[in-house]
Amino acid sequence: VQLVESGGGSVQAGESLRLSCVVSGYTFSGNCMAWFRQAPGQERGGVAYIGKDGGTTYADSWKGRFTVSRDNAKNILSLQMDGLKPDDAGTYFCAADRWYCDLRDWYRYGAWGQGTQVTVS
């Protein structure tokens, strides 16, 4: 199982970024996929998830600005980040789990990427 994030970078407030997570090694469509963010000195926190059926849930901080999507044909999870704020900065991780689909307990996701850094000034 391998999850590889990309798309992070350094932007100014108000700009956009699109993160991608390419998944290999298992059946992508059979897993709930999620994005988490970890800022320096903070615990890893949920941003958004997308279930096997395509249903989405967002944490309040990102609702209305971020959009999570999945392409089951290409095994890619995406996060469109619009209207970025300095508080959005941190390392963004994608996660996958066959059974757990929530944002409360990051440790219940069985597979993780290495993270991609987002800086907003």
Side-chain angles (χ1 to χ4, degrees):
V1 176
Q2 188 174 23
L3 289 72
V4 180
E5 300 99 333
S6 63
S10 182
V11 297
Q12 294 190 342
E15 294 184 341
S16 299
L17 281 174
R18 186 175 182 86
L19 306 184
S20 296
C21 173
V22 179
V23 179
S24 60
Y26 70 100
T27 305
F28 179 76
S29 61
N31 283 262
C32 178
M33 300 297 302
W35 288 99
F36 285 78
R37 190 278 307 260
Q38 188 163 20
Q42 296 184 18
E43 190 173 345
R44 193 169 298 190
V47 175
Y49 72 79
I50 182 166
K52 302 171 191 179
D53 62 354
T56 58
T57 295
Y58 298 86
D60 288 344
S61 298
W62 293 283
K63 197 175 297 183
R65 297 189 296 122
F66 288 13
T67 303
V68 61
S69 60
R70 65 191 299 163
D71 185 335
N72 288 340
K74 297 181 179 179
N75 286 10
I76 296 176
L77 173 73
S78 299
L79 184 68
Q80 178 66 38
M81 310 163 69
D82 297 321
L84 282 161
K85 305 175 181 179
D87 285 348
D88 296 328
T91 302
Y92 284 73
F93 299 88
C94 65
D97 198 86
R98 186 175 179 184
W99 304 115
Y100 186 68
C101 206
D102 207 299
L103 296 178
R104 289 174 293 180
D105 301 327
W106 63 267
Y107 51 86
R108 295 182 65 176
Y109 281 85
W112 290 85
Q114 83 290 349
T116 185
Q117 184 71 33
V118 172
T119 303
V120 185
S121 58

